Amino acid sequence: YGAFPDKTGLRGFWQAGSVAKVFTALAAARSGLLVPEGAGCAARYLRFFRYALYAIRQTDAVFVHMIPVWVILLYPMALIFRKPIYLWYTHKSVTLSLRIAAWCAARVFTASEESFRIATPKRVVIGHGIDTDLFVSGAFAHDPQQLKLLTVGRLSSVKDFRFIVDVLDLVRCLVPQQVTLTIVGAPA
């Protein structure tokens, strides 16, 4: 955690604990944790908006990660309570909902210009937030008899890890080294 005064100009926004409260609350609402089992779509949206209305009053700002439609849904409440909405978006697609969300958001943070392709003064390119002066690759021992592969990320069906394992068998047939694959992540 820490401020990023060189690029965001938000004067410590990233340190605001109340932002995490809204993000956590909205994630819980989206995942159905705040909705009774068997509730229909209308009940889910009603519960979502009721909790968002409760939570947004206690925050300094709203931070939305990769879901432009949340920016759109929360915009009326944020406007009423004068809470800025900030969006993190890193993807090549530009949809209508993203265009609307970019208009609604106070700022849109992204890793690169290519990962948010809407030309707007609200776009703030901050990179991936890795301090390469602190995390310097040091010398490491390389064993030419081994090929070590690593994948890091959330574990979900959309990532298609079965395909990676199938390809691993093919790679083992094509290279002379001993091939290992390490998968690091948590279920989505």
Side-chain angles (χ1 to χ4, degrees), residues 16-126:
S18 59
V19 173
K21 289 177 192 172
V22 162
F23 183 78
T24 304
L26 294 178
R30 180 175 181 258
S31 67
L33 295 175
L34 305 174
V35 180
E37 192 172 324
C41 187
R44 288 180 184 276
Y45 277 102
L46 181 63
R47 184 73 62 114
F48 171 84
F49 282 115
R50 191 169 73 198
Y51 195 83
L53 182 62
Y54 162 78
I56 203 167
R57 288 184 263 175
Q58 301 177 40
T59 65
D60 301 314
V62 177
F63 178 77
V64 177
H65 182 262
M66 294 294 295
I67 306 175
V69 72
W70 280 15
V71 175
I72 298 166
L73 292 174
L74 294 171
Y75 181 72
M77 279 186 262
L79 195 62
I80 290 168
F81 293 103
R82 296 183 176 165
K83 307 293 180 161
I85 300 177
Y86 299 98
L87 173 64
W88 169 267
Y89 192 83
T90 302
H91 197 275
K92 65 181 178 179
S93 70
V94 177
T95 62
L96 178 60
S97 63
L98 180 61
R99 289 183 188 282
I100 296 169
W103 182 85
C104 295
R107 294 258 188 355
V108 180
F109 299 99
T110 188
S112 69
E113 289 186 18
E114 296 80 23
S115 61
F116 184 76
R117 297 177 181 195
I118 298 174
T120 173
K122 295 179 180 183
R123 178 177 61 192
V124 180
V125 178
I126 62 173

Side-chain angles (χ1 to χ4, degrees), residues 81-186:
F81 293 103
R82 296 183 176 165
K83 307 293 180 161
I85 300 177
Y86 299 98
L87 173 64
W88 169 267
Y89 192 83
T90 302
H91 197 275
K92 65 181 178 179
S93 70
V94 177
T95 62
L96 178 60
S97 63
L98 180 61
R99 289 183 188 282
I100 296 169
W103 182 85
C104 295
R107 294 258 188 355
V108 180
F109 299 99
T110 188
S112 69
E113 289 186 18
E114 296 80 23
S115 61
F116 184 76
R117 297 177 181 195
I118 298 174
T120 173
K122 295 179 180 183
R123 178 177 61 192
V124 180
V125 178
I126 62 173
H128 285 286
I130 300 169
D131 184 346
T132 55
D133 292 331
L134 178 63
F135 298 100
V136 178
S137 175
F140 60 93
H142 173 68
D143 183 355
Q145 298 301 315
Q146 290 188 351
L147 176 61
K148 295 181 181 179
L149 305 173
L150 170 69
T151 179
V152 179
R154 65 184 165 93
L155 304 178
S156 68
S157 60
V158 73
K159 300 294 183 178
D160 203 2
F161 285 102
R162 287 184 181 163
F163 177 75
I164 294 173
V165 172
D166 290 342
V167 169
L168 182 64
D169 287 336
L170 178 63
V171 170
R172 285 183 174 142
C173 294
L174 297 174
V175 298
Q177 296 100 329
Q178 176 186 354
V179 180
T180 60
L181 169 65
T182 302
I183 300 172
V184 178

